[in-house]
Amino acid sequence: MASEFELIARHFIRPVRHTQLGGGDDCALFIPRPGMALLVSTDMLVAGIHFFADTDPWGLGWKAAAVNLSDIAAMGGCPRWMTLALALPQAEEAWVAPFAEGFAACCAAFDTDWVGGDTTRGPLTLCPTVFGEIPTGQAIRRDGARAGDLLWVSGQPGRAALGLWHLQGHVTLPEPAPCLAALHTPQPRVALGRALRGIAHAMLDVSDGLLGDLAHMLKASGVGAVLEDAALPLAALRVTGVAEDRLRAALLSGGDDYELLFAAPPAQTAALAALANTLDLPLTRIGRLEAQAGLWLEDAQGARTPLAAQGFDHFVTPTR
Ligand code: ADP
Ligand code: MG
């Protein structure tokens, strides 16, 4: 069995592009570009809580990097550097090699240097930290939404939850591949996030479910929201043959999609349509923001029902 140092040297020390000094010394050394603020985020993944311990290691590596990159995307930033703190039950190279390849592949796909980390024995736990750059003053925070803004979401939220339910046997998808891909190899919306600088007033990534994450934006911004049922992007989910209620639940409350949810003034609607075209990524206007606090679902006749903000909360929702 390989020693800790052999594993690190073989799999975790990678070539770098934006970095003075990468893995191998006591610290990595990097120099942010002039005029840039640093964005820093950590997102930890624990076996048995965030993923099944027998998950394909390449996909797990990809996902561990992707969920962290998504946080940089959600601020409008440009990811640049990543570290990985890792607890492993054993130094099993047949697992570590593809895991490291998946992690490195996702970093490389988003032009991010894997510059260091820490490796220890313990229950399988992955703790990446990502560093990104953003021109000073341009970060898109969650507290900037205003009454009158329209609410948009990228891509196809709900797919990851359907993929998980399929694996758990709660639903049977005729063609599970797109939903399983959304679950296992999410694509952080880095290009979209950057393009929304100067367009979106507020933004976050949907990691714990659209409603729950939206509630964070509403609270931070001091506004309320009306979601329009007819505008929800359910059409593409209908091909799964799953009952409409469950599709709506997957879209509104399912976690793990890593799409971007953002508020933008109505005057940006044409710019957003053009952007969706350029990026070849659907952007759907799902509702609007109001001065009055609250969260509502509005039907085609204009009748409103209050929506509970059911996101995923580790201390409330049972472990998935
Ligand atoms: P130190 O004791 O000085 O902290 P370590 O033995 O923990 O050094 O790590 C040696 C080098 O290997 C460091 O440069 C560190 O960044 C790198 N390293 C260790 N674990 C990882 C990992 N999981 N991913 C990337 N680099 C790692
Ligand atoms: Mg160390």
Side-chain angles (χ1 to χ4, degrees):
M1 197 170 272
S3 78
E4 174 194 330
F5 297 106
E6 285 164 352
L7 274 189
I8 293 171
R10 252 185 247 154
H11 302 290
F12 298 158
I13 308 282
R14 299 274 167 163
V16 290
R17 290 161 49 91
H18 314 294
T19 308
Q20 267 58 40
L21 188 59
D25 211 314
D26 292 311
C27 290
L29 174 65
F30 52 74
I31 303 177
R33 289 172 291 182
M36 294 288 186
L38 270 185
L39 297 163
V40 183
S41 177
T42 295
D43 232 337
M44 179 156 63
L45 289 87
V46 179
I49 306 284
H50 302 92
F51 60 91
F52 304 114
D54 62 355
T55 299
D56 161 61
W58 193 97
L60 185 61
W62 176 283
K63 186 163 178 173
V67 304
N68 280 272
L69 294 167
S70 177
D71 282 318
I72 300 292
M75 300 294 286
C78 178
R80 303 276 284 173
W81 304 282
M82 183 86 78
T83 62
L84 173 65
L86 185 64
L88 291 171
Q90 67 243 350
E92 195 190 316
E93 198 147 14
W95 189 93
V96 167
F99 167 78
E101 282 307 311
F103 192 83
C106 186
C107 289
F110 296 91
D111 200 20
T112 299
D113 286 348
W114 180 6
V115 299
D118 197 26
T119 306
T120 175
R121 188 177 297 273
L124 183 58
T125 304
L126 320 172
C127 190
T129 298
V130 63
F131 300 79
E133 290 178 329
I134 182 129
T136 308
Q138 290 191 33
I140 308 172
R141 300 157 44 142
R142 50 181 69 181
D143 61 2
R146 299 171 207 167
D149 282 349
L150 302 180
L151 193 62
W152 296 77
V153 70
S154 66
Q156 182 56 73
R159 271 195 184 154
L162 285 171
L164 180 67
W165 294 348
H166 179 81
L167 292 180
Q168 293 175 331
H170 301 313
V171 300
T172 305
L173 305 178
E175 282 180 38
C179 293
L180 294 178
L183 180 66
H184 292 313
T185 49
Q187 302 294 317
R189 303 304 188 190
V190 172
L192 173 62
R194 289 179 66 174
L196 289 173
R197 290 177 197 161
I199 293 180
H201 284 158
M203 178 154 67
L204 38 68
D205 66 329
V206 181
S207 51
D208 297 330
L210 195 153
L211 290 184
D213 287 319
L214 172 58
H216 298 314
M217 182 192 289
L218 300 181
K219 184 157 184 241
S221 299
V223 294
V226 181
L227 299 186
E228 295 162 26
D229 195 47
L232 298 179
L234 283 165
L237 294 180
R238 287 199 181 101
V239 300
T240 59
V242 173
E244 189 83 5
D245 288 8
R246 296 192 110 179
L247 295 183
R248 196 179 278 96
L251 193 156
L252 293 176
S253 305
D256 257 8
D257 279 308
Y258 304 100
E259 295 296 346
L260 295 181
L261 178 67
F262 59 95
Q268 295 290 355
T269 300
L272 289 166
L275 187 58
N277 245 322
T278 312
L279 297 177
D280 194 23
L281 176 67
L283 298 178
T284 310
R285 188 194 61 78
I286 57 169
R288 55 190 194 272
L289 301 183
E290 298 187 329
Q292 189 201 340
L295 180 51
W296 309 85
L297 186 65
E298 188 179 79
D299 69 16
Q301 283 71 47
R304 292 180 174 194
T305 4
L307 280 170
Q310 310 132 314
F312 184 83
D313 182 320
H314 281 270
F315 299 102
V316 178
T317 320
T319 301
R320 37 186 163 175

